[in-house]
Amino acid sequence: MGMSPSMNDADPRDEVLLSRMRARRRSTMSGSRIASFCIFLLWSMDVATAFNVNIIGRKRYPWSDTFSFQHRRQARLNVHMPSLEDRFDKWRFLQDMLDEEVEGEVINRVLYKVLKTYRTSTTSLGNDESQASSGLTPELAASLDSVLDLSTDYTIPAISNAVDEDLLKKLEKLLPDPVEDEDGHKSAWDTVIELHGRDMVKANETNPTTEWRVLCLVARLMIHYDFLSKEIA
C-alpha cells in the first residue's frame, strides 16, 4: 500500500517555489502600501487646497509669517491680469468682481492702477488751478498719496484675509462726499446698481457682509476715478 509523504519528505523544489511566492507577496504588499500612501497624500493636498481658498478666490496662506510673506509676494508678482482694453471688458470685470468671481490679487492690482493713473494724470496738469479744475484738491491729493504709499508690488491690499480697517477708512475718504459732491456720489451708486442689479444691491446693503462692503467700496472707487472711461497705465 502506498504511503502519503510526510512534511519532512517535502520536495525541495516546493520550498523554492514557496519562498518565491512569499517574496512576491511581500513585494506586492509594499507596492500597494506605497500606492495607497500616494493616493492619500494627493487627497490630503486637494482637501488642503479646497480649505485654503475663500469666497473671493484669494488663497489663505500658512501660519508661518515668513512663508506667508513669500507666497503673498509671489502671488502678487505672478498674478494673471485680465484684458481691460475697452469699456466692455471693464464693465464685465466690474460685474464679475461684484459677483465675487475675480481673484483678490487681481482686484488689488487693478485698484492700484486706477488710482495711480488718476494721480499721475492730474499731477501732469501742472499748476494748482488746473489740478483743482480736474477735481484734485490738495486734501484729495494727500489722501491719494497716503493710500498709494501703502502699495506693495503695484497692489493696494484692499482684498485680504485679515481686513485692514485703517486702509478701508483711507479708501472711503477717496469717495465723493454725498453732500459736497452729490452727483459723483449718486453716479457711482447708480453704476453699481446697473452692474449688479437693484434687487441684489438692496439685499446686500440690507445685510452687508464684509466681502460685499469691501467689493462695493472698491467698485465705486474704480467707477469714480474713471476706470470705465479712461485707459489705465
Side-chain angles (χ1 to χ4, degrees):
M1 179 181 291
M3 298 289 292
S4 295
S6 66
M7 292 298 294
N8 293 331
D9 296 329
D11 191 331
R13 290 175 296 179
D14 292 339
E15 291 293 332
V16 173
L17 181 60
L18 284 171
S19 177
R20 290 178 178 174
M21 289 177 66
R22 292 190 186 107
R24 182 176 300 173
R25 183 179 299 173
R26 286 194 297 269
S27 175
T28 302
M29 291 176 66
S30 298
S32 298
R33 290 193 183 100
I34 293 172
S36 299
F37 176 76
C38 290
I39 292 172
F40 174 79
L41 183 62
L42 290 172
W43 175 83
S44 300
M45 291 171 64
D46 288 341
V47 170
T49 300
F51 180 78
N52 286 336
V53 178
N54 66 11
I55 61 174
I56 338 181
R58 189 177 191 276
K59 293 184 178 179
R60 299 184 186 275
Y61 295 96
W63 297 297
S64 165
D65 289 339
T66 302
F67 193 64
S68 173
F69 172 78
Q70 291 172 347
H71 276 67
R72 291 186 185 192
R73 188 170 193 277
Q74 195 62 36
R76 286 194 294 265
L77 293 174
N78 294 338
V79 63
H80 175 70
M81 294 295 293
S83 173
L84 299 172
E85 294 182 357
D86 55 37
R87 187 179 177 86
F88 175 79
D89 290 336
K90 295 175 180 179
W91 188 269
R92 185 173 57 185
F93 173 83
L94 288 176
Q95 284 183 320
D96 291 343
M97 185 182 78
L98 290 171
D99 287 337
E100 300 181 5
E101 295 178 359
V102 180
E103 290 186 7
E105 293 294 351
V106 174
I107 297 172
N108 292 339
R109 178 74 66 88
V110 174
L111 177 60
Y112 171 84
K113 285 176 170 286
V114 170
L115 297 183
K116 183 66 174 179
T117 298
Y118 177 84
R119 184 70 177 95
T120 303
S121 63
T122 50
T123 301
S124 65
L125 294 175
N127 59 58
D128 293 340
E129 185 177 345
S130 298
Q131 292 180 13
S133 65
S134 70
L136 182 68
T137 63
E139 293 78 12
L140 177 58
S143 296
L144 278 166
D145 291 339
S146 69
V147 170
L148 292 171
D149 287 343
L150 298 174
S151 64
T152 306
D153 297 322
Y154 310 107
T155 67
I156 294 173
I159 309 297
S160 62
N161 294 319
V163 176
D164 187 340
E165 291 293 341
D166 290 337
L167 173 59
L168 295 185
K169 288 178 182 178
K170 290 178 182 291
L171 290 174
E172 287 170 351
K173 288 180 64 176
L174 300 180
L175 288 170
D177 185 274
V179 176
E180 297 181 2
D181 187 3
E182 183 180 359
D183 289 342
H185 174 78
K186 186 175 183 299
S187 176
W189 272 111
D190 286 346
T191 305
V192 168
I193 290 171
E194 191 173 354
L195 285 162
H196 201 52
R198 184 175 298 277
D199 291 340
M200 288 294 294
V201 172
K202 183 178 179 180
N204 285 324
E205 284 295 306
T206 302
N207 296 295
T209 62
T210 301
E211 289 79 13
W212 167 256
R213 175 188 164 211
V214 177
L215 290 173
C216 184
L217 167 62
V218 172
R220 285 182 290 145
L221 282 170
M222 291 183 181
I223 293 164
H224 182 66
Y225 289 99
D226 302 324
F227 172 63
L228 288 170
S229 59
K230 293 185 179 179
E231 183 178 353
I232 59 173

